[in-house]
Amino acid sequence: MSEPVNAEGTSVDFSMSATVSQGSPGENDRVWTATAKHKLKGLAKQNVPIDKIARTLKRSVASTEAMIAKLGVSPPASDRSRSQPVVGV
């Protein structure tokens, strides 16, 4: 089977290697700026639910929860029951 060619007669590479990231997991994660961290702290202190904070900051809920934990900020009151481990089940 011969290689595909374009109209100019040049061979065409249809492999996905040029468009698919081959890097390590987390390579495309955005860095948390000081401004975003400050806004996160303020929203958490106002008891805004984590899912709404995440949407506001254009982050995933998991990323937002991780940063709340890293910063040592108490999660919003409405989300505290989700973040507590289940005991005796």
Side-chain angles (χ1 to χ4, degrees):
M1 184 172 185
S2 63
E3 270 187 25
V5 293
N6 61 16
E8 291 82 37
T10 308
S11 65
V12 179
D13 180 11
F14 286 106
S15 70
M16 297 293 285
S17 61
T19 57
V20 177
S21 173
Q22 299 290 324
S24 61
E27 174 180 291
N28 295 322
D29 290 347
R30 291 185 300 142
V31 174
W32 280 84
T33 63
T35 303
K37 290 176 187 177
H38 181 75
K39 193 167 192 175
L40 171 65
K41 288 178 187 179
L43 292 169
K45 287 179 183 176
Q46 293 174 28
N47 285 320
V48 175
I50 291 177
D51 62 327
K52 289 185 181 180
I53 296 173
R55 260 183 280 148
T56 300
L57 299 175
K58 296 183 178 157
R59 301 279 180 164
S60 69
V61 171
S63 174
T64 303
E65 288 174 330
M67 186 51 67
I68 284 173
K70 183 175 181 179
L71 295 173
V73 177
S74 293
S78 60
D79 291 309
R80 285 190 189 135
S81 62
R82 276 193 326 149
S83 62
Q84 298 297 319
V86 178
V87 179
V89 175

